[in-house]
Amino acid sequence: MKLILLGAPGAGKGTQAETLSRELGIPTISTGNMLREAIQNQTPIGLEAKRFMDNGQLVPDDVIIGIVEERVARDDCRNGYILDGVPRTIAQAEALERFGVAIDNVVSIEIEDAVIEARMSGRRVCPRCGATYHIMANPPKTDGVCDSCGSELIIRKDDRPETVHDRLAVFHMLTEPLKDFYAKQGKLRIVQGDQPIHAVYREILTALGKSV
């Protein structure tokens, strides 16, 4: 199963990707984690990405997709993978195809902007391992502390109310067109995200033809 999760910021992609990874036995690949790992390992593409970041520039699509290509070539991706955070644009989706990164299914988690805004105000993130929580929907076992590594959780700048509107506008303009791109290929699966986490998860499995 080679899967892409689509959805607006705060739609619950990270939470669902983590559960699906355990259920399907395939790794979740996120853009941020890939960049950090490639830079830490000083791979050629990682060093190229670092050069752009050090200069305060956006990492170009071809570099991002090159890092994805490096990552999916590893042994743990032999039976599939889940892409979270990439592609973000039609250009990146086309680049994935050029680089030969195969995709079987694309799940779009649909949710209203107003619900997204409420969700993001309660989101907490681990700065060390990247685990994501929500103070109401998916709280950590200990308030303010990551279950996985024990680090203190933070509120990301992107989750602050003053930035949420801009992030949603960018999503609707650049990323939402991917639904039509993959629908034309017969790969798009629509799931309603405004429901409990376990219900969204069951709906994703059903959309993928997996037993619940």
Side-chain angles (χ1 to χ4, degrees), residues 26 28 38 70 80 92 94 99 102 111 129-130 132 159 171 176 201 207:
I26 56 178
T28 295
E70 273 188 354
Q92 287 186 357
E94 292 172 341
F99 277 69
I111 191 164
C129 71
T132 301
D159 291 339
F171 168 78
E176 201 161 33
Y201 173 66

Side-chain angles (χ1 to χ4, degrees), residues 18-152:
E18 183 179 344
T19 306
L20 285 165
S21 178
R22 291 195 302 268
E23 170 70 22
L24 302 177
I26 56 178
T28 295
I29 300 173
S30 74
T31 306
N33 290 343
M34 280 188 300
L35 279 171
R36 286 190 291 271
E37 185 176 353
I39 291 169
Q40 182 178 356
N41 293 338
Q42 296 189 334
T43 69
I45 292 180
L47 293 174
E48 186 176 0
K50 185 176 186 298
R51 177 169 59 83
F52 285 102
M53 295 167 70
D54 287 346
N55 290 329
Q57 299 173 305
L58 292 174
V59 180
D61 284 350
D62 282 352
V63 176
I64 293 289
I65 302 305
I67 291 175
V68 175
E69 185 188 29
E70 273 188 354
R71 180 65 184 85
V72 301
R74 295 186 191 175
D75 287 343
D76 65 338
C77 292
R78 184 174 300 171
N79 294 323
Y81 41 81
I82 302 167
L83 297 184
D84 175 15
V86 63
R88 292 185 184 274
T89 64
I90 296 292
Q92 287 186 357
E94 292 172 341
L96 282 176
E97 293 184 346
R98 288 198 306 273
F99 277 69
V101 178
I103 300 300
D104 297 322
N105 292 284
V106 179
V107 172
S108 178
I109 302 176
E110 304 285 309
I111 191 164
E112 296 290 332
D113 285 2
V115 178
I116 291 287
E117 291 169 8
R119 280 189 176 184
M120 294 179 78
S121 65
R123 186 156 68 173
R124 302 294 183 266
V125 177
C126 178
R128 178 179 296 176
C129 71
T132 301
Y133 303 87
H134 192 280
I135 59 176
M136 297 298 293
N138 183 36
K141 295 175 182 176
T142 302
D143 187 34
V145 178
C146 178
D147 293 346
S148 299
C149 68
S151 297
E152 183 177 355

Side-chain angles (χ1 to χ4, degrees), residues 131-186:
T132 301
Y133 303 87
H134 192 280
I135 59 176
M136 297 298 293
N138 183 36
K141 295 175 182 176
T142 302
D143 187 34
V145 178
C146 178
D147 293 346
S148 299
C149 68
S151 297
E152 183 177 355
L153 301 177
I154 63 170
I155 302 174
R156 299 190 314 171
K157 290 182 179 179
D158 283 351
D159 291 339
R160 298 188 183 279
E162 59 270 22
T163 64
V164 173
H165 286 295
D166 289 342
R167 294 187 68 203
L168 288 171
V170 170
F171 168 78
H172 291 308
M173 180 175 63
L174 296 180
T175 306
E176 201 161 33
L178 286 169
K179 290 194 296 184
D180 185 55
F181 179 86
Y182 286 114
K184 290 178 179 177
Q185 299 180 11

